[in-house]
Amino acid sequence: MITAAGRTVRTGLLVLAAVAVPALPIAGFARGADGLAAVAAGLVLVALFFTASKVAVSVVARRMRAMVLPAALGTYLMKTIILGVLLVTLEGSDSVDLIAFSWAVLVGVLGWVGAELWVATHTRVPFYDPDAFRARGDSPHDTLNT
């Protein structure tokens, strides 16, 4: 896995764990056992969706760089379809507290995106392909000074 992706997954999971610490007792107190289960399911869903995307895209990036965009869009499409089917299936269900589930997913997504933003702003990665410059005999510094 690409280092930044691994770091993002670890940081995202830590943020979700930090969200779960207050969210689970609050949901249990306010919404009962159904709310507790719904919050746990919502946070697990967020963890699975984001982790699967990061792993899939990083594997594709390592093997076929030209396919990164299709891989990212494909995983996004699959997650959207799965979430849509899940929500349509759960609509009107009394077995899952949809309010608690929705709040858990919303807070989990915001937390994970915040973790991704933090990792992206604190990881040094080149914004160019160093191999492409070496192949041409150029240096990225030469293009900056012209």
Side-chain angles (χ1 to χ4, degrees), residues 28-120:
F29 178 73
R31 309 291 286 187
D34 287 344
L36 182 70
V39 167
L43 293 177
V44 167
L45 182 72
V46 170
L48 288 174
F49 272 28
F50 278 100
T51 300
S53 295
K54 282 291 178 191
V55 170
V57 171
S58 67
V59 166
V60 170
R62 194 173 339 135
R63 296 184 182 172
M64 298 176 286
R65 284 191 179 176
M67 297 302 291
V68 170
L69 182 61
L73 293 175
T75 57
Y76 178 74
L77 177 65
M78 287 178 47
K79 291 187 308 184
T80 304
I81 291 170
I82 292 169
L83 184 60
V85 168
L86 179 66
L87 291 176
V88 167
T89 304
L90 292 176
E91 183 181 9
S93 172
D94 293 334
S95 61
V96 177
D97 186 345
L98 293 178
I99 301 295
F101 180 77
S102 301
W103 278 106
V105 169
L106 176 67
V107 172
V109 166
L110 292 176
W112 193 286
V113 170
E116 285 199 28
L117 181 61
W118 188 88
V119 170

Side-chain angles (χ1 to χ4, degrees), residues 128-144:
Y128 61 92
D129 185 2
D131 296 332
F133 281 103
R134 280 190 215 108
R136 290 190 327 194
D138 294 339
S139 163
H141 300 291
D142 294 342
T143 59
L144 294 176

Side-chain angles (χ1 to χ4, degrees), residues 13-39:
L13 291 174
L14 284 172
V15 168
L16 288 181
V19 166
V21 169
L24 290 171
I26 290 170
F29 178 73
R31 309 291 286 187
D34 287 344
L36 182 70
V39 167

